[in-house]
Amino acid sequence: MTTAAVVLQLLILAGALYDTAALLAPRRRRLRRTALETAERRLVAQRLHGRIDAAAYREGMRCVADRCLSRRGRRDTS
C-alpha cells in the first residue's frame, strides 16, 4: 500500500514539474504565434490603406492560416 502511494506521489510530482517546464519553455511557440498575429495585423492595415489588392490580401491571409510567414506577411513589399 505504501509503495502504491509513493508511486502515485512521484507521478503527481513529475506531472507538476512537466507542466511547469511546459509553461516556461515554449517561448519559440509563443514568438511564432506573435509573429503570425503581427503578420495578420499588417495585412489588414495594408488592405485598409489600399496598399495591396484583394488577391494579395487573400494570399497573405491564406499563408497566415497555414502558419507560414511569407515575404508579404512580414513587410510591406509595395
Side-chain angles (χ1 to χ4, degrees):
M1 186 70 174
T2 304
T3 305
V6 169
V7 169
L8 288 174
Q9 288 176 352
L10 287 174
L11 285 173
I12 291 170
L13 180 63
L17 290 174
Y18 178 81
D19 287 342
T20 302
L23 285 173
L24 298 175
R27 292 182 184 192
R28 290 184 69 192
R29 176 180 282 169
R30 239 179 292 148
L31 290 175
R32 177 105 173 127
R33 182 177 28 179
T34 302
L36 289 168
E37 289 172 358
T38 302
E40 183 179 0
R41 282 192 202 105
R42 284 185 182 159
L43 280 168
V44 170
Q46 289 173 352
R47 181 67 179 134
L48 287 174
H49 295 293
R51 294 186 198 131
I52 59 174
D53 61 350
Y57 176 76
R58 279 193 304 270
E59 176 188 343
M61 284 303 211
R62 185 178 305 122
C63 193
V64 168
D66 292 339
R67 303 183 70 80
C68 67
L69 292 173
S70 69
R71 182 173 184 82
R72 192 175 302 277
R74 282 185 287 188
R75 65 178 60 154
D76 186 7
T77 59
S78 59

